Structure formats: C-alpha cells, structure tokens
C-alpha cells in the first residue's frame, strides 16, 4: 500500500511537469508578453515605450525559454518559463500581473471562504442525494419513482444561474431572510452562506439523485438483499447497513474527484454571491485578463485533480478489501 | 420449539431496535424544527456588520477590481474615486460649477504659466507655441497642511522611524495600519511633490502617464536613466547583504535625484518646468499623479517586516485628503474613515440657480467632510447591487438594463423621468451626459473608404446619414445617450449645442421637437450616386462590400453588427463582419489593416484639445508605429494647421472660432460617423444630500452628506423579514414527519 502511494506520488511529478509546460505554451502562444502589456495598460497608454516599461516592471522582459544573453545556469533560470511557470512546481505562484499581490498568499486566504461554501454543499448534497435516491430506488416503478424522476429531469434542465437569481429574488428580496450577496469573516458568515449553500444543494439534486438511484437499483436486486429480507431484517437496516455499504465503491469514485470543486470553489455561486473565494478569484482574474492568476489556478486545478485520483484509489482499497493496490 | 423462540426473540429485537430508531428520529425531527425556528428568528438581510447600517457611512460599490492605489500608477476611474478621497493635488475641479473650473486645492492659487522665448526672455500674453522654448509654473503650496495619521510618521524614543527594522510577526496581530500602536503625522512640503513627480520616472512602476508627462516636463528621460542606475547600485548592495530583491525592492532617494523639470524653491514652493508650451499641463496637476508622496511612506513600505506583513504603498496610500484607508481588501471591499488631520475646507458657496433649486447650496460654508465613513463593497453582478439599493443598503445605484422599465418612465415631452414607484420611495434620478465619445471610425488609409477626395467624403457622409445613432441609442441603450455632432461631447469647451451645433453634412434641426435628426435617406442615396456608387453598385457593377472589424463575439456586439448591416443595406452596401481576438484586433489597428471599427475616447481633462488631437495627422497610429492615438489615420493639412493653432491657445473667442473651424473640417471630411455620448443615470436615495455627478474630477466624496436616521427608518420599513412561510414549512415538516413516524409504528 505504502509503496503504491509513494509510486503514485512520484508519477504526479512528471504529470504536473507536463501540465506546467502545456499551460505555459498555451497561454504564451495565445498571449505574448507584449499582448499582456497592452491589455494591462489599456488602449490609451499602450505605446511601445509603455509596453517595454510594463514588461520590465513585471518580469516579462526576458526570453521565454532560453536566455542567450545570460551566462551559466542563468540561461535557463532567467527566462519567463522558469520564473513564471516552472516555479509553480515548488509552490511559488509568483505575483498577480495586475495587483502585484502574492498569488500564493491569496490562494491560502481564499481557500477558507470557498470551503465554507463548497464543503456544506458537498456534504448536504451527498447525504440528501443518497437518502432520497435510496428511497426512490425502493419504490421503483411506482408513481413516486416516476414523479421523482420527472422532477429530477426538470431540476437538471434548469440552469444554475436561474436557481441563483430565483433564490436571490425569493429569499433575499421577497422574504428578506438573507442578504442578497456579500461575506463577512467569522460567525457572521452564516447569514451570507445560507442562501448560496441552499442554491448549491438544490441545483445539484436532480443529477445526484438520478445517479445514485441507478447505483442503488443495481444493488437492491442482488441476492444478498433478498436473503436479508427473507431473514426479516427491517427495510431501513437492509438499505443503510447493507445496500449502502456495497454501493460505496461507485459513490467513492465520484466523491474524491469533488476535491477539486471543494478547493477551487464554485465559480458561479461565488461570483453572484460576492464570496471572496477561489472561484470568484478565478473569474475576476479572467475578467481582468490577469494571466498570472489564471495560469496558477489552472495549474492548481490540475494538481488537485491528480491528488483526487490518488485518494480515489486509496479509498477503493479501504472500502473493498478485495481490491489490493501495489 | 427452538425455532419459534429464536424467531420471536428476533422479532422482539427488531421491534426494540425499531422503537429506538423512531425515538431518535422523532428527537431529530423536533431538534430540526426548533433549529429552523431559531434560525428564522435570527434572519436578517442586512449585508453590513452589526451597527454599520445605522452609522454615518456612505455605502457604494465597485464591479471591476481595484488594481492599485499608487498615485503614480492608478489610472482607472473607479480607483480614482477612492484614491482622490485620500490624496490631494495642487488643484482640483469646483464641485458645482459647469463648465468645469479649476480651483486651488493644495496650492495657494491656480498656477499660471510663465513663457520664455528662445533667448530666455519672458513672453507676455498668449505667445505662439513655436516662440516658446521654456514654460514655468510656480506652485506655492499651502502651509500647515498635515498628513493623515500613519505609522510611517511614527517616531521611536531614539528619534528613528518607529518601525525601522520591525519584525513582521509583531505586525501580523493588527488587521489594519490604523491599529498600529505608533502613529504620527507631519506637515506636507514641496519636497513631497518632488518625490511624486520623480517617482513617475521609475521604470519599475511603469506609470501609465510617463510618456505623456515626458513629452512636456523637462528632463524626465534623463531622470529615468539616473533612477535606473541608482536602482542597479542599490540592488547590488542589497544582494551583497543577501536581501531578496523580488520581495524587497529597493527605494532610491527620489528627493535628491535631479529632475530638470522640477525646481525646489523652498519648503512650500516649487517650480514645474516644461519643455514646450502646453497649457493643458494645469489639468494634469488636478490628477493624483501630482499628489504629494511623503518619502517616509516609501521607506516604511520598503521595510522587510512591513512587506512580510502584507502592507504596501499601492494598497495603503498616504495623503492629506479628507479620508484615510482603514481596511483594504481589494477583491472584497474597502473602508475609508474621516482624516482627523484634514485641513479646514468648506462646502462651496456658489453654484447655479438649478443647483440652488436642487438644494445643492444648503450646506454652503460648512466644514468638510460630512460623512464619517465610506464603504466600497466589491459586487460583481448588477442584480444584487440593485436589490441592495432598493433595500436601502446602498445609497446610490445605476440602473441595470433589466430594471430600466421599473425605474424609468418616459415623460410627455419624451424625456426620461423616475417611475412613480421609485419616486414614492423618496428616490431621485440624476441625468448627465458623460465626457465620452463613441464613434464608428473609417480607416482613412483604406482605398475604399479612406482618402480625402470629394467622392470618398461623400461616401462616408452617406454612410453617416444611414447609420442613425439616435435609433441606436433608443434600441440598444434605452435612450441613455446623445447623438454626436462631432467628436466634442457636451460640457467640453467648444462643443456647440442646439441648432448652431448641427452637423450640416449629416443632420438637420427639427424645430418642432427641438432636436437634431438625421437628414433623409434620399439625401444619402444622392450622395452615394455622387460618390460613384448608385444604389450601392460600384463601377465594376458589383455591390459595394465593406468590412466591419471587431473583437469579441458577445450577443451585444452581434446585435450591433446586425443593426449596422441593416442600415448599410438601405444604401445597397453589403456589410460583412471580420471578427478577431483582441490581440489580433489591436495588431490590425496598429498596422491599418481594417476598414470600419467602433471605438471611443474618454476625456482625461475637460479641454477640446484632448479630443481634437485624435485627428491630428502626426498622431496617426500607423504613421507613429502604434504610438499615436489617431486610430482613423486621418491626415489633413488644413485640419492640422487649425489644430496646431488652437492646441496650446488659451480659451477665448479666437480659440472658439478655431475649434469651430476644426469641427467643421471634421464634419465635412467625416473620418468617423459621429456616434454618441453616453448618458449617466444615477438613482440616489432621499437621505443622500449634495450629490452632483462630476465626470472629470473624483474628489467629490467629501461633499456628500447622509441623513442616517432617515436611512435607518427606511431600512427597517423595507426589510422586516416575512417569516410566516418559514413557520408554515416548519409546521408542515413537523406534521408530515410525525405522521410518517406514527404510520411506521402502526
């Protein structure tokens, strides 16, 4: 097991290096440092002198991959790739092109508000989806099942944006239960988080219930369930102690991958509810064309995805001892 | 027997376990309902920290993030609103007077230029530009003006800076600079202006106005080189001490670095020396690039401990203004509070009759600022801003397009008015035309639409008639704009409004409505015939095909293109769209590879030169390889001659006549289809007093006044939570849950 984990961690390094190179090439092919300077300076001030000064001030005045003017190791290290991209491999995300603030510090600061939104959504969605899916699965073919399936399709068909606007209008404007948007640190945050969490949970219900219902239906018709029923076990015990345990593997396949969403935040919710998390950070950076932040967030996303996959594999072996890693 | 007893004990076990589960579920149900009721009782939609809403705070918002408040770098309007409340400049704009008028701020009086001839003699009057070889502005700054309390001025008992060599750990306990235990202040002096102007030359800052300033302030390029050398020397020293330069940039002593364009006379007097005649320099002195920078602040923010604690000059500016920053989270919100050291400044006592009628002179002569605190909240979406405004949590708001019908009604004379619903809430609407011009430009280097031959002029005039911007404003902007007659927006000196200002080649005056309307389409068709394109058919017998170059493909830009195509088709012209990404689009502009594009210009200062220079031949963007701002590449020796004369002339009848002449040339040559000047519609609540939009100056916050009691009353009235649906849901959950448990038991 340990050997497997170590080996997987070692695999992560070349994978991330590949992602790093790919992200750099994509970004700098689309947007040269000159273009970035012009975008940052705006229409009025982007004359060639200003462009050169901006590049110099932001460290883009060196070659992209190979610095022929430098000597020794400087030929590699005094390049845009090394200073702006490769450094992300050791956690140095550099500074924002627009605000000059440390991206690493900002990521750390914004992770908590993001988690405050995404973690409750994740947990509540998981619990509600599993619970409802199980109930619906037991009533397969009944009117309840059909109505629920229809409702799920309706829920899935509605855009998250509609949920957000409707939620803001209904709960914040008509009922006046929560603020429309905003965030305050500390205990005051609950009044701002209640609505985005509710919207996040409702918008995830349709697809979640349908997915888990299918998983439970597969399990519920197996022989061990029939045996348990024949033994006279109460239905709730069969469902929650036996079916749920056996359905955990496919559930776990889905769950650790949510790590990405948990850490990176929910862009749309954070944007509309003005929550200072990582999702909103990314959206703001995209709007402001702050490519240093966008690059960092893409790289961080890839990193979390790889970590999520690793966790999935480890969870498999914990839940199902038949699966042996290594 | 054995089988029966094991079966009955299994049933008992199941019953017991079922009973326990029901008890647990019932308890959970009750707990859930109780929790819901507690949460419902505590519900509030107040987005501000406790006690904030009822305090003397002005609540406003921003939707584009703030990048910097460094006065040498900041160039965005929304940043200016914050920064110009904290720092002050030698001069500023009068809050009420229109047209905009400069008044002294930190200077004792508005500086006047002294012109020197080629042999050093003083030139009197308004000499021609070519006779002037040197210009001097003598600026006397007021005495006794103190900076806001700030740790950079704090002094330790041994006489050194209180935070010299400070450890970041000891600073991280504070969430704001205002919490630092040692604060101080000092009098502002002329040296601080020297620091401010010299800093603009530092290449590391990439000040956006460096090129502009270097074009008229003497010796900026030389100073830039000196700073570069000094920075290299200091960096070498730092490196030898093992200091990481990327984290702790060095600060050269801007006080002592020579700048030929800045002469320090004494502690309260300095001279700004210009290399050429440039009367508009005075307007630049009203921008924060000219605000004094205390060198202590730069030293303070260069302290490694301060840097590590996350404080920087670009986020925490230091100034003499009415307010000072106490909270700075660029992507969340900012808080400014009254500067206790603010000098004696009083609300203006002169204004127009309409100002008087609107109650804008009610606070005349009262000491500024009125409001204790200003809160800028980062809000990315317009709908939450609008809802919070209706709830009384913001004091002002624009009108989102979706809410236009709810907020605005058309009055009988066609003007926009506030809807009765909003008026009943005590709101007011302020309309004003902004100092911005948007227009459809023709590439004058293009063989089809460019050139100054009579045929080409007529082709452009015909297109200008067909593209009716009043219709555009009505369709796409809810009527929020004024069709342009020339590049000059209303309110800028030289812009003639009414019948006299009509563009005779494209528009005509409608006496009945008292408005300008486009000439009939038949006139455009006549012009097309004269241009050699009858019914849009060219000499080759094919329809004239034009290309509209744009970047981005939003639904709005697509709709705009379709509208343009429909207008052009009235003349038989086929319009095609050439979409590219922003970078390629800019390349096309720089190299002149385009035909038609929609563009605009926002005034830097309220002088016609700031708009008319966009058509000066020597500013052609292609001719200058990207340095110029003349995007249409228009070049007319006749126009250039007139422009060069009026460019540096003082306002007066002679300049007015020249502006008229320049405008007429542009109207005839039609390098653009003059588009429109957007109108700003701002809603304010009744408790906000003294609000008057100012589209050039940003120092207006200190003039605002809030009647907090009226606001609190409104907030209470409008925001009482509606709880019965919540209670109903809780009751239903309780009933259904209980019933389910009962049924289960049965």
């Amino acid at each position: 097991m340990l050997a497997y984990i170590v080996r997987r961690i070692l695999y992560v390094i070349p994978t991330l290096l590949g992602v790093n190179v790919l992200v750099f090439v994509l970004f700098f092919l689309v947007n040269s440092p000159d273009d970035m300077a012009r975008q940052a300076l705006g229409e009025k001030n982007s004359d060639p002198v200003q462009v050169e000064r901006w590049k110099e001030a932001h460290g883009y005045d060196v070659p992209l991959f190979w610095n022929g003017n430098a000597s020794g190791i400087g030929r590699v290290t005094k390049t845009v790739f090394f200073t702006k991209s490769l450094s992300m491999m050791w956690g140095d995300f550099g500074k924002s092109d627009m605000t000059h603030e440390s991206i690493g510090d900002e990521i750390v600061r914004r992770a908590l508000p993001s988690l405050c939104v995404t973690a409750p959504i994740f947990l509540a969605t998981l619990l509600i989806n599993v619970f409802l899916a199980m109930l619906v699965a037991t009533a397969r073919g009944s009117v309840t099942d059909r109505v629920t399936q229809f409702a799920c399709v309706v829920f899935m068909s509605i855009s998250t944006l509609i949920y957000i606007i409707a939620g803001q209008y209904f709960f914040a404007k008509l009922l006046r239960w929560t603020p429309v948007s905003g965030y305050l640190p500390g205990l005051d945050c609950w009044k701002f988080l209640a609505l985005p969490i509710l919207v996040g949970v409702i918008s995830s219900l349709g697809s979640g219930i349908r997915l888990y219902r299918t998983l439970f239906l597969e399990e519920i018709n197996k022989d061990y369930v029939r045996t348990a029923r024949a033994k006279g076990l109460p239905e709730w015990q069969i469902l929650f102690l036996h079916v749920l345990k056996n359905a955990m593997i496919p559930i776990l396949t889905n769950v650790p991958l949510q790590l990405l969403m948990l850490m990176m935040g929910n862009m749309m919710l954070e944007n509309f509810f003005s929550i200072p998390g990582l999702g909103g950070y990314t959206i703001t950076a995209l709007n402001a064309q702050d490519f240093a932040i966008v690059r960092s967030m893409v790289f961080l996303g890839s990193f979390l995805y790889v970590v999520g996959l690793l966790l999935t594999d480890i969870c498999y072996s914990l839940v199902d001892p038949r699966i042996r890693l290594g | 027997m054995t089988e029966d007893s094991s079966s009955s004990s299994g049933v008992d076990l199941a019953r017991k376990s079922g009973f326990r589960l029901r008890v647990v579920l019932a308890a959970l149900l009750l707990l859930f309902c109780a929790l819901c009721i507690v949460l419902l009782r505590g519900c509030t939609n107040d987005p501000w920290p406790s006690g904030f809403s009822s305090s003397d705070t002005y609540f406003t918002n921003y939707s584009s993030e703030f990048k910097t408040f460094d006065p040498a770098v900041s160039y965005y309007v929304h940043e200016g609103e914050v920064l110009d409340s904290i720092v002050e400049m030698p001069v500023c704009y009068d809050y009420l007077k229109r047209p905009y008028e400069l008044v002294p701020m930190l200077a004792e009086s508005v500086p006047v230029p002294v012109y020197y001839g080629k042999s050093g003699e003083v030139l009197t009057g308004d000499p021609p530009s070519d006779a002037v070889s040197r210009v001097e502005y003598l600026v006397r700054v007021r005495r006794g003006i103190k900076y806001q309390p700030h740790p950079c001025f704090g002094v330790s008992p041994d006489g050194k800076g209180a935070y010299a060599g400070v450890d970041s750990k000891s600073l991280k306990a504070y969430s704001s600079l205002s919490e630092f235990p040692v604060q101080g202040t000092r009098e502002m002096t002329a040296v601080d202006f020297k620091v401010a102007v010299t800093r603009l030359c530092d290449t590391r800052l990439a000040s956006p106005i460096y090129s502009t300033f270097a074009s008229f302030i003497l010796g900026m390029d030389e100073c830039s080189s000196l700073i570069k050398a000094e920075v290299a020397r200091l960096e070498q020293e730092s490196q030898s001490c093992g200091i990481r330069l990327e984290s702790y940039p060095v600060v050269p002593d801007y006080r002592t670095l020579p700048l030929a364009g800045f002469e320090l006379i004494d502690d309260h007097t300095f001279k700004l020396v210009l290399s050429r005649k440039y009367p508009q320099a005075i307007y630049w002195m009203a921008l924060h690039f000219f605000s004094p920078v205390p060198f202590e602040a730069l030293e303070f923010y260069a302290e490694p401990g301060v840097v590590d604690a996350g404080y920087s000059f670009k986020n925490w500016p230091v100034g003499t203004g009415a307010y000072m920053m106490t909270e700075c989270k660029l992507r969340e919100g900012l808080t400014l509070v009254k500067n206790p050291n603010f000098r004696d400044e009083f609300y203006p006592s002169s204004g127009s009759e309409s100002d008087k009628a609107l109650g804008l002179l009610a606070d005349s002569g009262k000491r500024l600022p009125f409001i204790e605190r200003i809160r800028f909240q980062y809000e990315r979406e317009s709908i939450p801003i609008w809802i919070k405004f209706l709830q009384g949590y913001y004091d002002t708001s624009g009108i989102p397009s979706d809410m236009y019908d709810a907020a605005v009604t058309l009055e009988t004379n066609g003007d926009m008015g506030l809807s009765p619903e909003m008026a009943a809430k005590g709101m007011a609407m302020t309309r004003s035309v902004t100092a911005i011009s948007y227009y459809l430009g023709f590439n004058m280097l293009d063989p089809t639409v460019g050139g100054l031959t009579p045929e080409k002029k007529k082709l452009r005039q015909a297109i200008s008639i067909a593209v009716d911007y009043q219709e555009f404003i009505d369709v796409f902007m809810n009527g929020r704009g004024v069709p342009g007659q020339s590049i000059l927006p209303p309110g800028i000196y030289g812009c003639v409004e009414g019948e006299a200002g009509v563009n005779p080649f494209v528009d005509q005056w409608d006496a009945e409505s008292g408005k300008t309307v486009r000439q009939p389409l038949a006139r455009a068709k006549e012009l097309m015939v004269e241009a050699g394109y009858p019914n849009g058919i060219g000499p080759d017998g094919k329809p004239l095909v034009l290309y509209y170059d744009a970047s981005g493909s939003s639904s709005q830009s697509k709709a705009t293109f379709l509208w343009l195509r429909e207008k052009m088709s009235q003349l038989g012209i086929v319009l095609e769209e050439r979409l590219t990404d922003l970078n390629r689009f800019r390349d096309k502009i720089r190299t002149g590879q385009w035909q038609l594009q929609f563009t605009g210009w926002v005034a830097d200062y309220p002088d016609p030169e700031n708009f008319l220079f966009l058509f000066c031949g020597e500013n052609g963007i292609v001719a200058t390889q990207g340095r110029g701002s003349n995007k249409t590449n228009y070049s007319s020796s006749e126009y250039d001659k007139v422009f060069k004369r009026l460019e540096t002339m003082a306002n007066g009848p002679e300049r007015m006549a020249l502006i008229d002449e320049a405008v007429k040339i542009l109207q005839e040559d039609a390098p653009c289809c003059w588009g429109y000047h957007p109108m700003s519609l701002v809603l304010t609540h009744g408790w906000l007093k003294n609000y008057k939009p100012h589209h050039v100056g940003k120092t207006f916050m200190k003039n605002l006044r809030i009647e907090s009691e009226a606001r609190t009353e409104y907030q209470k009235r409008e925001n009482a939570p509606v709880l019965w649906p919540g209670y109903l849901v809780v009751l239903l959950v309780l009933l259904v849950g209980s019933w389910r448990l009962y049924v289960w038991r049965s």
Side-chain angles (χ1 to χ4, degrees):
Chain A
M1 179 76 165
L2 187 67
Y4 173 79
I5 294 171
V6 171
R7 199 167 65 240
R8 283 297 305 268
I9 289 172
L10 289 176
Y11 283 162
V12 166
I13 296 169
T15 309
L16 288 180
L17 191 63
V19 169
N20 194 306
V21 174
L22 196 65
V23 168
F24 181 82
V25 170
L26 280 175
F27 271 86
F28 282 88
L29 272 183
V30 175
N31 231 24
S32 70
D34 280 39
D35 294 331
M36 288 160 65
R38 284 189 203 103
Q39 276 157 3
L41 289 164
E43 291 282 323
K44 276 190 175 180
N45 308 301
S46 54
D47 69 52
V49 176
Q50 292 293 136
V51 167
E52 286 310 313
R53 289 169 77 95
W54 187 92
K55 280 163 58 187
E56 195 181 329
H58 292 80
Y60 290 105
D61 56 335
V62 287
L64 291 182
F65 282 106
W66 183 258
N67 191 342
N69 295 328
S71 57
I73 191 76
R75 289 194 178 97
V76 177
T77 57
K78 289 178 181 171
T79 58
V80 177
F81 176 65
F82 190 88
T83 54
K84 302 283 181 188
S85 192
L86 201 62
S87 55
M88 288 194 288
M89 293 289 287
W90 46 90
D92 177 6
F93 291 101
K95 289 184 175 177
S96 152
D97 285 339
M98 300 292 172
T99 65
H100 275 265
E101 285 186 331
S102 161
I103 297 170
D105 289 352
E106 197 74 5
I107 288 172
V108 170
R109 210 166 59 81
R110 285 169 172 270
L112 183 64
S114 275
L115 273 175
C116 285
V117 180
T118 53
I121 291 177
F122 168 69
L123 287 175
T125 307
L126 186 67
L127 290 176
I128 294 170
N129 282 343
V130 166
F131 184 75
L132 290 179
M134 209 177 271
L135 291 182
V136 175
T138 55
R140 186 187 185 188
S142 67
V143 176
T144 313
D145 183 34
R146 283 182 196 147
V147 169
T148 311
Q149 284 215 62
F150 176 75
C152 284
V153 173
V154 172
F155 270 61
M156 285 164 69
S157 311
I158 299 172
S159 152
T160 312
L161 190 63
I162 303 293
Y163 286 113
I164 293 172
I165 294 173
Q168 286 181 329
Y169 183 77
F170 189 71
F171 290 103
K173 187 166 185 290
L174 288 186
L175 299 182
R176 304 152 187 171
W177 288 0
T178 64
V180 182
S181 63
Y183 183 81
L184 285 174
L187 286 176
D188 276 344
C189 72
W190 73 266
K191 67 176 177 183
F192 295 99
L193 297 179
L195 187 53
I197 290 171
L198 184 69
V199 167
V201 170
I202 291 174
S203 65
S204 315
L205 284 183
S207 55
I209 291 172
R210 273 173 67 85
L211 172 70
Y212 293 129
R213 177 186 166 276
T214 314
L215 300 178
F216 288 128
L217 277 180
E218 265 184 39
E219 287 297 321
I220 222 159
N221 291 320
K222 286 188 175 167
D223 288 345
Y224 72 89
V225 177
R226 201 173 303 125
T227 310
R229 279 186 182 137
K231 278 176 72 184
L233 279 181
E235 193 66 17
W236 68 267
Q237 266 191 18
I238 298 170
L239 291 175
F240 287 95
L241 299 182
H242 297 281
V243 174
L244 181 60
K245 195 172 177 185
N246 285 292
M248 280 305 272
I249 289 194
I251 293 175
L252 280 177
T253 313
N254 189 36
V255 169
L257 292 179
Q258 301 288 319
L259 183 72
L260 180 67
M261 184 275 282
L262 281 177
M263 294 303 294
M264 298 294 283
N266 186 315
M267 290 191 192
M268 204 175 270
L269 284 179
E270 289 185 11
N271 201 42
F272 274 83
F273 289 101
S274 294
I275 292 164
L278 291 171
Y281 187 48
T282 312
I283 289 266
T284 309
L286 281 168
N287 288 339
Q289 309 233 349
D290 194 330
F291 292 107
I293 296 176
V294 179
R295 273 199 315 271
S296 302
M297 297 310 285
V298 170
F299 183 76
L300 184 67
S302 310
F303 173 76
L304 290 172
Y305 193 77
V306 172
V307 172
L309 285 174
L310 177 64
L311 285 178
T312 309
D313 287 351
I314 295 168
C315 290
Y316 276 169
S317 69
L318 293 176
V319 170
D320 188 350
R322 289 172 301 177
I323 299 172
R324 287 280 170 267
L325 305 173
Chain B
M1 189 67 185
T2 318
E3 199 179 316
D4 280 345
S5 74
S6 72
S7 163
S8 76
S9 69
V11 171
D12 286 345
L13 199 69
R15 275 186 188 154
K16 276 182 190 170
S17 119
F19 175 74
R20 277 201 299 269
L21 184 69
R22 281 200 303 276
V23 170
V24 170
L25 288 177
L28 282 175
L29 182 67
L30 283 174
L31 191 70
F32 174 74
C33 292
L35 186 71
C36 286
I37 290 171
V38 170
L39 287 176
L40 279 171
R41 299 286 299 167
C43 269
T44 171
N45 64 0
D46 185 350
W48 308 121
S50 180
F52 238 59
S53 299
S54 54
S55 64
D56 187 12
T57 306
Y58 173 60
F59 294 101
T60 184
N61 55 72
Y62 57 101
S63 54
S64 299
E65 71 168 320
F66 292 123
K67 290 175 180 131
T68 176
F69 296 116
D70 185 332
V73 185
S74 172
Y75 200 51
Y76 290 92
V77 171
H78 66 303
E79 289 170 358
E81 288 180 2
V82 178
L83 185 56
D84 292 6
S85 298
I86 297 171
V87 301
E88 294 184 294
M89 290 67 73
V91 291
C92 67
Y93 294 95
D94 188 280
Y95 182 56
L96 297 177
K97 283 185 186 163
R98 303 290 183 278
Y100 303 110
E101 188 180 312
L102 285 173
V103 290
M105 196 178 205
L106 291 177
E108 285 179 355
S109 57
V110 178
V112 288
V114 178
Y115 299 109
Y116 291 90
K118 291 197 170 97
S119 49
E121 77 282 13
V122 175
L123 302 172
T124 51
D126 188 20
S129 302
D130 48 6
V132 177
S133 67
R134 179 185 168 95
V135 185
E136 289 181 1
Y137 283 89
L138 188 71
V139 183
R140 291 183 206 282
V141 297
R142 295 186 198 190
R143 289 168 189 272
I145 293 178
K146 287 190 171 169
Y147 282 102
Q148 63 174 81
H150 194 277
C152 74
F153 302 116
V155 180
S156 61
D158 61 0
K160 289 182 183 170
Y163 297 93
V166 69
D167 182 20
S168 67
K169 284 178 193 160
S170 63
L171 300 180
K172 281 189 175 168
Y174 310 112
S175 60
S176 164
L177 281 178
S178 56
E179 293 175 10
F180 281 30
V182 186
Q183 305 271 337
T185 185
R186 75 158 167 83
E187 190 185 353
M188 175 207 67
T189 63
V191 180
D192 303 332
F193 289 93
K194 167 78 168 56
V195 173
V197 180
T198 312
R199 269 188 94 228
L200 300 173
C201 305
D202 194 332
T203 52
R204 297 172 304 165
L205 294 173
S207 174
I209 45 76
Y210 171 79
S211 293
T212 310
F213 275 33
S215 73
F216 64 85
I217 296 179
L218 201 65
M220 284 195 67
D221 285 337
E222 293 77 6
C223 182
S224 192
S225 306
L226 279 174
I227 291 176
K228 218 168 180 173
E230 177 64 3
V231 166
R233 189 186 66 77
L234 292 171
E235 284 183 346
Q236 216 166 17
E237 273 179 28
S238 296
Q239 265 173 332
S240 62
C241 301
I243 295 173
R244 283 183 294 120
L245 293 171
E246 63 275 18
S247 301
Y248 313 112
V250 297
V251 181
D253 193 342
Y254 300 111
R255 295 169 296 187
T256 53
L257 284 162
L259 170 63
F262 193 100
E263 287 178 20
L264 203 62
I265 310 294
D266 60 40
D267 276 356
H268 293 91
T269 316
F270 68 87
K271 206 183 267 182
L272 194 71
V273 186
L274 273 54
S275 54
R276 62 182 172 94
K277 186 182 177 190
Y278 184 61
Q280 290 78 15
I282 192 68
Y283 295 114
W284 289 106
M285 285 193 217
L287 296 178
H288 50 244
F289 302 105
F290 259 96
S291 64
V293 175
F295 191 69
E296 297 92 322
L298 302 180
E299 285 182 313
F300 172 80
Y301 289 115
E303 282 290 340
V306 176
V307 174
D308 291 343
Y311 296 100
S312 62
F313 186 55
K314 69 173 207 59
N315 288 357
W316 297 86
V318 188
T320 58
Y323 291 94
M324 57 186 203
M325 184 97 77
T326 54
E327 186 189 352
C328 177
K329 290 173 182 162
L330 296 179
R331 295 184 181 97
E332 291 168 44
L334 315 170
T335 307
L336 310 187
V337 300
K338 223 183 223 185
N339 170 12
N341 297 339
F342 188 55
R343 65 202 158 81
D344 284 341
E345 199 195 347
F346 303 95
Y347 188 82
S349 49
S350 57
S352 65
E353 280 304 312
S354 69
D355 291 339
K356 200 173 178 181
L358 289 167
L360 289 168
L361 290 172
D363 287 322
S364 293
K366 290 186 183 164
R367 194 169 188 276
L368 298 176
F370 293 114
I371 298 170
E372 287 292 329
R373 182 165 44 191
I374 301 171
R375 174 69 188 173
F376 294 87
Q377 186 71 16
Y378 186 29
E379 295 267 12
R380 298 178 195 108
E381 300 296 332
S382 59
I383 298 292
I385 295 173
W386 176 250
I387 294 177
K388 283 184 189 173
F389 172 71
L390 293 182
Q391 291 172 337
Y393 294 123
Y394 283 129
D395 300 312
T396 58
S397 173
I399 304 175
S401 309
D402 302 335
M403 300 298 155
Y404 186 78
D405 291 338
V408 177
T409 51
L410 277 183
E411 290 171 356
T412 45
N413 60 358
D415 282 348
M416 284 174 281
L418 191 61
S419 71
E421 195 185 301
M422 300 292 154
K425 287 176 186 279
M427 294 171 186
M429 184 169 76
T430 313
R431 291 184 304 159
S432 54
V433 180
T434 56
I436 303 173
S437 294
Y438 288 113
Y439 50 90
L440 180 72
F442 299 99
N443 181 5
M444 297 298 282
L445 300 177
D446 184 80
T448 309
V449 296
L452 291 173
T453 59
E455 291 78 20
K456 299 294 180 192
K457 286 183 192 177
K458 283 173 181 168
L459 173 64
R460 293 192 296 269
Q461 286 169 6
I463 293 172
S464 298
I465 292 172
V467 181
D468 183 354
Y469 267 99
Q470 182 59 59
E471 188 183 307
F472 180 90
I473 292 164
D474 292 339
V475 172
F476 294 102
M477 301 176 65
N478 297 117
R480 285 180 277 190
V482 176
Q485 299 301 306
S486 75
I487 189 69
L488 298 179
I492 297 292
Y493 184 81
C495 175
V496 182
E497 294 181 67
E499 192 174 358
V502 170
N503 177 355
F505 302 94
V506 175
D507 291 310
Q508 60 190 13
W509 183 252
D510 179 19
E512 200 176 317
S513 65
K515 286 182 178 176
T516 310
V517 292
R518 281 286 198 256
Q519 290 182 13
L521 199 63
R523 172 66 188 144
K525 288 181 176 170
E526 278 172 29
L527 287 167
M528 287 294 283
V529 173
E530 291 166 24
Y533 295 98
N535 294 319
I537 306 297
D540 55 359
K542 290 178 184 168
L544 174 61
V545 180
L546 296 182
Y547 296 94
Y548 176 68
D549 292 273
S551 67
S553 53
S554 64
S555 54
Q556 170 72 28
S557 58
K558 190 73 194 168
T560 305
F561 165 70
L562 291 175
W563 177 83
L564 266 178
R565 189 169 68 178
E566 195 266 325
K567 293 288 131 194
M568 299 269 191
S569 69
Q570 293 175 334
L571 301 178
I573 299 172
V574 178
L575 186 68
E576 290 188 3
E577 192 176 23
R578 285 192 300 210
L579 280 179
T580 42
D581 68 78
L582 188 61
N583 292 326
R584 300 293 80 76
F585 179 69
R586 285 177 172 157
D587 281 341
K588 283 160 85 173
I589 303 296
R590 273 196 303 277
T591 52
Q593 305 296 312
W594 59 281
Q595 212 166 42
L596 278 92
Q597 62 145 328
F598 189 72
T599 186
W601 186 259
V602 184
D604 291 304
Y605 44 82
D607 190 89
E609 177 267 350
N610 193 232
F611 285 91
L612 294 173
F613 91 111
L614 295 172
F615 298 96
C616 176
E618 65 185 37
N619 289 332
I621 195 163
V622 173
T624 57
Q625 296 179 324
R627 292 181 76 118
S629 299
N630 175 359
K631 284 191 196 169
T632 60
N633 300 296
Y634 173 73
S635 182
S636 152
S637 54
E638 188 190 2
Y639 176 82
D640 287 353
K641 212 165 115 184
V642 178
F643 173 73
K644 281 290 161 197
R645 284 183 63 202
L646 73 86
E647 183 187 16
T648 56
M649 192 180 273
N651 285 345
E654 193 185 352
R655 193 179 197 217
M656 190 69 200
L658 288 169
I659 293 168
D660 272 347
E661 200 180 335
V663 166
K664 286 282 177 290
I665 295 169
L666 288 177
Q667 286 172 335
E668 186 181 354
D669 290 350
C672 303
C673 171
W674 309 111
Y676 63 92
H677 313 292
M679 185 184 282
S680 152
L681 283 188
V682 178
L683 291 188
T684 51
H685 278 292
W687 57 75
L688 180 71
K689 303 295 176 189
N690 303 337
Y691 179 81
K692 182 171 182 177
H694 200 295
H695 296 296
V696 184
K698 306 282 176 295
T699 56
F700 60 91
M701 298 257 182
K702 62 188 173 192
N703 297 295
L704 302 178
R705 184 165 61 80
I706 297 275
E707 288 178 351
S708 340
E709 282 172 10
R711 181 170 62 188
T712 308
E713 202 177 296
Y714 178 95
Q715 286 171 348
K716 276 186 186 158
R717 196 172 59 240
E718 295 286 323
N719 298 306
V722 182
L723 295 179
W724 67 264
Y727 292 141
L728 192 66
V729 170
V730 172
L731 188 66
L732 279 174
V733 168
L734 194 63
L735 287 175
V736 172
S738 307
W739 179 72
R740 288 297 303 177
L741 285 172
Y742 179 76
V743 169
W744 190 11
R745 186 189 68 94
S746 303

